[in-house]
Amino acid sequence: MAVHRIVVDVMLKPEILDPQGQAVANALPNLGYAPPVDLRIGRHVELALEAPDADAALEQATKIADTLLANPVIEDYAVRLA
Amino acid sequence: MAVHRIVVDVMLKPEILDPQGQAVANALPNLGYAPPVDLRIGRHVELALEAPDADAALEQATKIADTLLANPVIEDYAVRLA
């Protein structure tokens, strides 16, 4: 059993409004930056899991993402080795 | 001026406590998962910026990350092309 480091990125689905990202996008011109074409904010989760191999760790992380880290109704997630 | 897609990942510095990650880590055994070796939660920002080239877009995103997306006192950030 080795420790595998995995990253899960969780984002609101494209059709779901992102008020946090919109607030940051609206703040940029006030700080002297050009307005961004797009800006969305999600969660970045760094996990270290004990598993026999990388595939098993990815499978476990995907289950965790689906049940606990993301709300699959409104969010998409991507799981990858760090 | 082309549109460049950039990702900024913001994480609390390793020496800063992460109560949100700790709460998720503590919840996993209750859901039947092995306790994770480590679990930390940060922000994942997807930006689309107009810039003459990728280097200029990365430079602009780094300034935005430093002034608005991250608090450099307690957070680290990583900027990369999407």
Side-chain angles (χ1 to χ4, degrees), chain B residues 11-39:
Chain B
M11 295 295 289
L12 286 168
K13 291 187 180 190
E15 65 270 26
I16 307 284
L17 279 177
D18 172 19
Q20 189 187 4
Q22 202 56 54
V24 171
N26 292 343
L28 285 175
N30 299 333
L31 293 171
Y33 298 105
V37 177
D38 190 32
L39 193 159

Side-chain angles (χ1 to χ4, degrees), chain A residues 10-22:
Chain A
V10 182
M11 296 296 289
L12 286 168
K13 291 187 180 190
E15 64 270 27
I16 307 284
L17 278 177
D18 172 18
Q20 189 186 5
Q22 201 55 53

Side-chain angles (χ1 to χ4, degrees), chain B residues 23-53:
Chain B
V24 171
N26 292 343
L28 285 175
N30 299 333
L31 293 171
Y33 298 105
V37 177
D38 190 32
L39 193 159
R40 291 176 73 83
I41 300 182
R43 289 190 301 289
H44 175 82
V45 185
E46 294 184 358
L47 279 154
L49 297 177
E50 272 201 340
D53 56 44

Side-chain angles (χ1 to χ4, degrees), chain A residues 37-38 40 42 44 46 48 67, chain B residues 33 37-38 40 42 44 46 48 67:
Chain A
V37 177
D38 190 31
R40 291 177 73 84
H44 175 82
E46 295 185 358
T67 53
Chain B
Y33 298 105
V37 177
D38 190 32
R40 291 176 73 83
H44 175 82
E46 294 184 358
T67 52

Side-chain angles (χ1 to χ4, degrees), chain B residues 6 49 51 53-63 79-81:
Chain B
I6 290 169
L49 297 177
D53 56 44
D55 280 349
L58 281 171
E59 192 185 331
Q60 196 185 341
T62 303
K63 279 190 202 161
V79 181
R80 62 182 163 84
L81 289 171

Side-chain angles (χ1 to χ4, degrees), chain A:
Chain A
M1 297 283 268
V3 173
H4 300 271
R5 303 199 74 87
I6 290 168
V7 169
V8 181
D9 289 320
V10 182
M11 296 296 289
L12 286 168
K13 291 187 180 190
E15 64 270 27
I16 307 284
L17 278 177
D18 172 18
Q20 189 186 5
Q22 201 55 53
V24 171
N26 292 342
L28 285 174
N30 298 333
L31 293 170
Y33 298 105
V37 177
D38 190 31
L39 193 159
R40 291 177 73 84
I41 300 183
R43 290 190 299 289
H44 175 82
V45 184
E46 295 185 358
L47 280 154
L49 297 177
E50 272 200 341
D53 56 43
D55 281 348
L58 282 171
E59 192 184 331
Q60 196 184 339
T62 303
K63 280 188 201 162
I64 292 172
D66 205 62
T67 53
L68 195 63
L69 302 179
N71 175 352
V73 177
I74 59 167
E75 291 172 327
D76 291 324
Y77 58 87
V79 181
R80 62 182 163 86
L81 289 171

